[in-house]
Amino acid sequence: MVAKRKSLGGDAGSKKIKVTIDTSRAAVQPVVASFAAAVPPVASTFATYKSVNKNKASECIVVSETEKIEYVGQTFEDNKPLFTGCQYLVGVYDKTTDTVTFRTAPYVRINSTIKSLKDSTGVVDRDISSRIIQARNELGEAFGNKKRKAQIRAEERNRINMDSVKGDMSVIEASIGVRTSSMPTAQDLKGLENANRPIPKYDPEATKPEDIYDMDDVLPKPIASHINVTPLTKATDVDGYRQNLPVRSLFVLKKIESLLLNQRKPDIDLLRRVVYLSYLMKFFTFSASALKNRDKCVELLMCAPEVSDQIFEKFTECVAGSVNPDGSPVVIRTPASESKLVCHIAVLMLAVNNWVVYPLELSADLGLPIRKAEKFLTSVGCKLEVASADEIATCVMSKRPKAGASKKAVLKAPIEFPKQSMHRAR
């Protein structure tokens, strides 16, 4: 059973309420106002000013101020009324006479201004963007859903009170100065970035391409001494070279052929670099599952255990707490270690080819997209240049698309690395 609500005004049928409209020019008139930002204290008083021009009798300005903030509201903006499609009325109920008196109330939008932030002329600098935001918020308050209204109120709460912040400005500036003094400079950040590049040791002050990279860091002499090149020197044709190499690289075969067939006394150090390059190319082809069987990897690399240990240590990372069935630690090739491996391959290709490499060759031997091969070559300091027809004719041809065959990567001194883009890739 539903209980009847009690009437606050007694029995509705026993009273007749009279409604009147006051059109007189009273000294105190009601005004309907909305506040764009700060709301004044409850006890604040406002002064109303109306135009003496009969043509602008409906226009009025409402003004109030506190010690720090001014409030100014008006019924017009840019010489146009704020609202033209509606009219507000304010009613007052007199209990003694049971009369409701309505009076026309102009609508004003009141903006607040911090006195300390006003310009020298005393005129508020109206920022168009702030006015757009204000209008958008008012529309959201009037017609937005609950989520939009809550968002608007949150933005208003989080808005910084510039007047209170101004007094603490010196403290904020001092705090910023202390923190920024310990921040690294642009030169420090550049040095840190260069130190973290996945490339061999290099000399940024070198004036010759052959002096840029430390080849002892790429292939240490103790490791190079374990690379046996005797089977290659005894071979008499290309088929003999293939039998003693772990990969079928056209670039490697071409370099070995030029060292052994076209020279009376081959350069053993350069030959060992080419053979080590073939080891790294083969190691690049190993999958994550293949790396679990280290003995099989060493067999496929066709190198001495000392060389394979160097490769595994330099271009893989151990998984803590994990071991293979044979008791050896589990190693993986992370994206960082893979980039390091490709960069070392690129430097070796440059070192054995007079510091010039075609991206097409790196792309074909490693199975990389041509754009990615170009990116790796530029990351080691190469400049991409247009290759001539004669240079293209001497290039190691492959089945890769010919779109990148017209470019060559040249290492020049002093070395320059590509600058990092400030935009994120989409």
Side-chain angles (χ1 to χ4, degrees), residues 393-411:
T394 60
C395 173
V396 177
M397 301 308 296
S398 66
K399 296 180 180 180
R400 303 292 295 178
K402 295 183 180 181
S406 60
K407 291 183 180 180
K408 63 180 179 180
V410 183
L411 184 66

Side-chain angles (χ1 to χ4, degrees), residues 276-338:
Y276 184 67
L277 171 62
S278 68
Y279 295 159
L280 296 187
M281 287 183 174
K282 183 62 179 180
F283 189 76
F284 181 80
T285 63
F286 291 161
S287 62
S289 58
L291 291 175
K292 295 180 180 179
N293 191 342
R294 186 159 183 158
D295 293 337
K296 184 65 175 178
C297 290
V298 175
E299 179 183 348
L300 293 174
L301 286 174
M302 300 173 60
C303 65
E306 293 81 2
V307 180
S308 64
D309 290 344
Q310 164 76 7
I311 295 175
F312 270 89
E313 181 181 354
K314 199 167 189 176
F315 302 111
T316 61
E317 295 182 13
C318 292
V319 179
S322 300
V323 294
N324 292 316
D326 59 358
S328 61
V330 175
V331 296
I332 59 173
R333 194 167 62 217
T334 62
S337 59
E338 183 170 308

Side-chain angles (χ1 to χ4, degrees), residues 116-426:
S116 59
L117 299 181
K118 291 179 65 176
D119 59 15
S120 58
T121 60
V123 180
V124 180
D125 183 16
R126 293 186 179 181
D127 185 13
I128 296 178
S129 61
S130 64
R131 291 169 60 189
I132 293 175
I133 293 174
Q134 177 185 336
R136 184 182 63 186
N137 290 345
E138 290 178 356
L139 288 174
E141 287 285 0
F143 305 104
N145 53 24
K146 292 182 179 179
K147 184 177 180 180
R148 175 57 184 156
K149 291 179 180 179
Q151 181 183 0
I152 294 173
R153 288 191 291 270
E155 291 175 356
E156 293 293 341
R157 288 193 300 269
N158 294 333
R159 185 170 295 174
I160 298 175
N161 187 342
M162 295 302 298
D163 187 63
S164 62
V165 171
K166 190 174 181 64
D168 301 330
M169 193 70 70
S170 59
V171 178
I172 296 174
E173 290 177 353
S175 177
I176 293 174
V178 171
R179 284 164 173 76
T180 54
S181 62
S182 60
M183 292 179 63
T185 62
Q187 192 68 21
D188 294 336
L189 293 175
K190 183 178 180 181
L192 182 62
E193 181 183 5
N194 291 338
N196 293 330
R197 293 183 185 276
I199 59 178
K201 293 180 181 178
Y202 68 96
D203 181 8
E205 306 297 332
T207 56
K208 298 179 181 180
E210 57 269 23
D211 296 333
I212 292 177
Y213 283 103
D214 183 4
M215 298 310 297
D216 286 337
D217 181 59
V218 179
L219 178 58
K221 291 181 179 180
I223 302 300
S225 63
H226 291 284
I227 299 177
N228 185 13
V229 295
T230 302
L232 289 172
T233 58
K234 290 183 178 181
T236 57
D237 55 14
V238 176
D239 291 334
Y241 302 151
R242 287 197 181 102
Q243 294 176 5
N244 293 281
L245 293 172
V247 292
R248 298 294 180 91
S249 167
L250 295 177
F251 179 87
V252 172
L253 284 174
K254 180 182 178 182
K255 298 312 299 180
I256 291 180
E257 184 179 0
S258 65
L259 287 171
L260 297 179
L261 296 183
N262 301 332
Q263 297 181 14
R264 292 182 180 181
K265 187 177 180 180
D267 187 339
I268 299 301
D269 291 336
L270 193 59
L271 183 59
R272 283 173 173 168
R273 289 179 184 176
V274 176
V275 175
Y276 184 67
L277 171 62
S278 68
Y279 295 159
L280 296 187
M281 287 183 174
K282 183 62 179 180
F283 189 76
F284 181 80
T285 63
F286 291 161
S287 62
S289 58
L291 291 175
K292 295 180 180 179
N293 191 342
R294 186 159 183 158
D295 293 337
K296 184 65 175 178
C297 290
V298 175
E299 179 183 348
L300 293 174
L301 286 174
M302 300 173 60
C303 65
E306 293 81 2
V307 180
S308 64
D309 290 344
Q310 164 76 7
I311 295 175
F312 270 89
E313 181 181 354
K314 199 167 189 176
F315 302 111
T316 61
E317 295 182 13
C318 292
V319 179
S322 300
V323 294
N324 292 316
D326 59 358
S328 61
V330 175
V331 296
I332 59 173
R333 194 167 62 217
T334 62
S337 59
E338 183 170 308
S339 297
K340 183 178 181 181
L341 175 60
V342 178
C343 288
H344 277 67
I345 291 174
V347 171
L348 276 169
M349 293 178 70
L350 288 164
V352 301
N353 202 50
N354 295 324
W355 310 104
V356 178
V357 169
Y358 292 85
L360 186 65
E361 296 172 322
L362 181 64
S363 172
D365 286 337
L366 299 186
L368 298 174
I370 193 70
R371 299 300 180 191
K372 195 170 184 179
E374 292 176 355
K375 184 177 179 180
F376 275 114
L377 287 169
T378 56
S379 67
V380 298
C382 290
K383 302 292 185 182
L384 295 177
E385 299 178 358
V386 177
S388 64
D390 293 339
E391 290 172 330
I392 295 173
T394 60
C395 173
V396 177
M397 301 308 296
S398 66
K399 296 180 180 180
R400 303 292 295 178
K402 295 183 180 181
S406 60
K407 291 183 180 180
K408 63 180 179 180
V410 183
L411 184 66
K412 296 182 179 181
I415 190 170
E416 292 184 6
F417 297 106
K419 295 181 180 180
Q420 294 291 337
S421 175
M422 299 299 292
H423 301 282
R424 291 183 177 180
R426 295 183 177 180

